[in-house]
Amino acid sequence: MEKNKRTPVIAGNWKMNKTPAETFDFINEVKPLVKDADCKVVFCVPFVDLESALKASEGSNIHIGAQNCHFEKSGAFTGEISAPMLKSMGVEYVIIGHSERRQYFAETDKTVNKRLKAALSEGLKVILCVGETLGERESDITEEIVSKQTKIALNGVEAKDLENIIIAYEPVWAIGTGKTATSDQAEEVCLYIRNVVSKLYNKEVADKTVIQYGGSMNAKNADELLAKTNVDGGLIGGASLKSEDFSIIVKAASK
Ligand code: PEP
């Protein structure tokens, strides 16, 4: 399937930034800037900001997501939030397996798989993050790493569920560092991931799967990255905190 048959998704990952009041103002500020987008627009905000993000985005083309969810529905998991809790609020998307969760919060491929399945079973759409560290790239094992992460994350997931999963290729060395993968590097790994999905399911499923690039995407480099055939949008950290920059990226994905 050609690129233009997949709808690109530009998703902001705010990480641990903005209060509920700031969220409300920001979403209202960004709404008119992205209202004509020819791509999906999502903001994944901190848990405490979800309510004000949902309220501010009502009636607009902005979709709201969380940045994580637990694999159990409820129980003794202090500090965690479950998929049914998110669903009950009207949240649509959730990021699973972000490298910062893997790095600082002991997230493993297995817990990523459990969280992803919990989210899907509640009808949430998942943005699944995979990507290699600098050491892994330098050791020439990028493909092994993203293949392993993708296969374990999708273990036990049916083909029909892939339409509710976006895969974000996020090289860890490019996240929050200002170092972007070149558009050729991004294309190469996104295509590789598409082939992994094809082998796990089939070509038709792989052709329909949205695969984003994430890692220091910004208003300046978005055009070139998003022009690549297998790059179907972006997961945007830093630049999603600035309405003008974010809207330029949305425009680049809408071409
Ligand atoms: C991210 O947090 O997923 C990300 C890509 O961050 P940044 O754009 O800041 O590198």
Side-chain angles (χ1 to χ4, degrees), residues 11-15 95 98-100 129 168-172 174-179 213-218 234-241:
N13 172 21
W14 283 3
K15 313 191 190 211
I95 298 174
H98 192 278
S99 63
E100 286 152 17
C129 301
Y169 166 54
E170 296 216 307
V172 180
I175 297 179
T177 57
K179 260 195 207 169
Y213 167 78
S216 299
M217 193 187 280
N218 58 40
L235 184 55
I236 324 292
S240 73
L241 296 166

Coordinates of all heavy atoms in Angstrom, one line a residue, residues 11-15 95 98-100 129 168-172 174-179 213-218 234-241, ligand 1:
A11 N 1.5 12.8 16.9 CA 1.1 12.7 18.3 C 2.1 13.4 19.2 O 3.4 13.2 19.1 CB 1.0 11.2 18.8
G12 N 1.7 14.3 20.1 CA 2.6 15.0 21.0 C 2.7 14.1 22.3 O 1.7 13.6 22.7
N13 N 3.9 14.0 22.8 CA 4.1 13.4 24.1 C 4.7 14.5 25.0 O 5.8 14.8 24.9 CB 5.1 12.2 23.9 CG 5.6 11.7 25.3 OD1 4.8 11.8 26.3 ND2 6.7 11.0 25.3
W14 N 3.8 14.9 25.9 CA 4.2 16.0 26.7 C 5.2 15.6 27.9 O 5.7 16.5 28.6 CB 3.0 16.7 27.3 CG 2.3 17.6 26.4 CD1 2.6 17.8 25.1 CD2 1.1 18.4 26.7 NE1 1.7 18.7 24.5 CE2 0.8 19.1 25.5 CE3 0.3 18.6 27.8 CZ2 -0.3 19.9 25.4 CZ3 -0.8 19.4 27.8 CH2 -1.1 20.1 26.6
K15 N 5.3 14.3 28.1 CA 6.1 13.8 29.2 C 5.6 14.5 30.5 O 4.4 14.6 30.6 CB 7.6 14.1 29.0 CG 8.0 13.7 27.5 CD 9.5 13.7 27.4 CE 9.9 13.6 25.9 NZ 11.1 12.9 25.7
I95 N 0.2 5.8 25.1 CA 1.6 5.4 24.7 C 2.0 4.2 25.6 O 1.8 4.2 26.8 CB 2.6 6.5 24.9 CG1 2.2 7.7 24.1 CG2 4.0 6.1 24.7 CD1 3.1 9.0 24.4
H98 N 7.3 3.5 26.1 CA 8.2 4.6 25.8 C 9.6 4.3 26.4 O 9.7 3.8 27.5 CB 7.7 6.0 26.3 CG 8.4 7.1 25.8 ND1 9.6 7.6 26.4 CD2 8.2 8.0 24.8 CE1 10.1 8.6 25.7 NE2 9.2 8.9 24.7
S99 N 10.6 4.7 25.7 CA 12.0 4.4 26.2 C 12.3 5.0 27.6 O 13.1 4.4 28.4 CB 13.1 4.8 25.2 OG 13.0 6.2 25.1
E100 N 11.6 6.1 27.9 CA 11.9 6.6 29.3 C 11.2 5.7 30.3 O 11.7 5.6 31.5 CB 11.3 8.1 29.4 CG 12.2 9.0 28.6 CD 11.6 10.3 28.1 OE1 10.4 10.6 28.5 OE2 12.2 10.9 27.2
C129 N 6.0 2.1 21.5 CA 7.4 2.6 21.1 C 8.4 1.5 21.1 O 8.5 0.7 22.0 CB 7.8 3.6 22.2 SG 6.7 5.0 22.3
A168 N 5.7 3.4 17.0 CA 6.5 4.5 16.9 C 8.0 4.0 17.0 O 8.4 3.5 18.0 CB 6.3 5.5 18.0
Y169 N 8.7 4.2 15.9 CA 10.2 3.9 15.9 C 10.9 5.1 16.5 O 10.9 6.2 16.0 CB 10.7 3.6 14.5 CG 12.2 3.6 14.5 CD1 12.9 2.8 15.4 CD2 12.9 4.5 13.7 CE1 14.3 2.9 15.5 CE2 14.3 4.5 13.7 CZ 15.0 3.7 14.6 OH 16.4 3.8 14.7
E170 N 11.4 4.9 17.7 CA 12.1 6.0 18.4 C 13.5 5.6 18.8 O 13.7 4.9 19.9 CB 11.3 6.3 19.7 CG 9.9 6.9 19.4 CD 9.5 7.9 20.4 OE1 9.6 7.7 21.6 OE2 9.2 9.0 20.0
P171 N 14.5 5.9 18.0 CA 15.9 5.6 18.5 C 16.1 6.3 19.8 O 16.0 7.6 19.8 CB 16.7 6.1 17.3 CG 15.9 7.0 16.5 CD 14.4 6.6 16.8
V172 N 16.6 5.6 20.8 CA 16.7 6.2 22.1 C 17.7 7.4 22.1 O 17.6 8.4 22.7 CB 17.2 5.1 23.1 CG1 17.3 5.7 24.5 CG2 16.1 4.0 23.2
A174 N 18.1 9.5 20.0 CA 17.5 10.7 19.3 C 16.5 11.4 20.2 O 16.0 12.5 19.8 CB 17.0 10.4 17.9
I175 N 16.1 10.8 21.3 CA 15.0 11.3 22.1 C 15.5 12.4 23.1 O 16.3 12.1 23.9 CB 14.3 10.2 22.8 CG1 13.7 9.3 21.8 CG2 13.2 10.8 23.7 CD1 12.9 8.1 22.4
G176 N 15.0 13.6 22.9 CA 15.3 14.7 23.8 C 16.7 15.2 23.7 O 17.2 15.9 24.5
T177 N 17.5 14.7 22.6 CA 18.9 15.0 22.6 C 19.2 16.1 21.5 O 20.3 16.6 21.5 CB 19.7 13.8 22.1 OG1 19.1 13.3 20.9 CG2 19.6 12.7 23.2
G178 N 18.2 16.4 20.7 CA 18.4 17.3 19.5 C 19.1 16.6 18.4 O 19.2 17.1 17.3
K179 N 19.5 15.3 18.6 CA 20.1 14.5 17.5 C 19.0 13.8 16.8 O 18.3 12.9 17.4 CB 21.0 13.4 18.1 CG 22.4 13.7 18.1 CD 23.2 12.4 18.4 CE 24.5 12.7 19.1 NZ 25.1 11.5 19.6
Y213 N 7.9 8.0 13.1 CA 9.2 8.2 13.6 C 9.1 9.1 14.8 O 8.3 10.1 14.8 CB 10.1 8.8 12.5 CG 11.4 9.3 13.2 CD1 12.4 8.4 13.5 CD2 11.6 10.7 13.5 CE1 13.6 8.9 14.1 CE2 12.7 11.1 14.1 CZ 13.7 10.2 14.4 OH 14.8 10.7 15.1
G214 N 10.0 8.9 15.8 CA 10.0 9.9 16.9 C 11.5 10.0 17.4 O 12.2 9.1 17.4
G215 N 11.9 11.3 17.7 CA 13.2 11.5 18.2 C 13.7 12.9 17.6 O 14.1 13.0 16.5
S216 N 13.5 13.9 18.5 CA 13.9 15.3 18.1 C 13.3 15.7 16.7 O 13.9 16.5 16.0 CB 15.4 15.4 18.1 OG 15.9 15.1 19.4
M217 N 12.1 15.3 16.4 CA 11.4 15.8 15.2 C 11.0 17.2 15.6 O 10.5 17.5 16.7 CB 10.2 15.0 14.8 CG 9.7 15.3 13.4 SD 8.2 14.5 12.9 CE 8.7 12.9 12.4
N218 N 11.2 18.2 14.6 CA 10.8 19.5 14.9 C 10.3 20.3 13.7 O 10.2 19.6 12.6 CB 12.0 20.3 15.6 CG 13.3 20.2 14.7 OD1 13.2 20.4 13.5 ND2 14.4 20.1 15.3
G234 N 4.6 11.2 13.3 CA 5.7 11.4 14.3 C 5.1 11.4 15.7 O 4.0 11.7 15.9
L235 N 6.0 10.9 16.6 CA 5.7 11.1 18.0 C 6.7 12.2 18.4 O 7.9 12.1 18.3 CB 6.0 9.8 18.8 CG 5.7 9.7 20.3 CD1 4.3 10.2 20.5 CD2 5.9 8.3 20.8
I236 N 6.1 13.3 18.9 CA 6.8 14.5 19.1 C 6.9 14.8 20.6 O 5.9 15.1 21.2 CB 6.1 15.7 18.4 CG1 5.5 15.3 17.1 CG2 7.1 16.9 18.2 CD1 6.4 14.9 16.0
G237 N 8.1 14.9 21.1 CA 8.3 15.3 22.5 C 8.3 16.9 22.7 O 7.3 17.6 22.7
G238 N 9.6 17.4 22.8 CA 9.8 18.8 23.0 C 9.0 19.7 22.1 O 8.4 20.7 22.6
A239 N 9.0 19.5 20.8 CA 8.3 20.4 19.9 C 6.8 20.4 20.1 O 6.1 21.2 19.5 CB 8.7 20.1 18.5
S240 N 6.2 19.4 20.8 CA 4.8 19.4 21.0 C 4.3 20.3 22.2 O 3.1 20.5 22.4 CB 4.3 17.9 21.3 OG 4.6 17.5 22.6
L241 N 5.3 20.9 22.8 CA 5.0 21.8 23.9 C 4.9 23.3 23.4 O 4.6 24.2 24.1 CB 6.1 21.8 25.0 CG 6.2 20.4 25.7 CD1 7.5 20.3 26.5 CD2 5.0 20.1 26.6
Ligands
PEP1 C1 9.4 11.4 22.7 O1 9.3 11.8 23.9 O2 8.8 10.5 22.3 C2 10.3 12.2 21.8 C3 10.4 11.8 20.6 O3 10.9 13.3 22.4 P1 11.7 14.5 21.6 O4 10.8 14.8 20.4 O5 11.8 15.6 22.5 O6 13.0 13.9 21.1

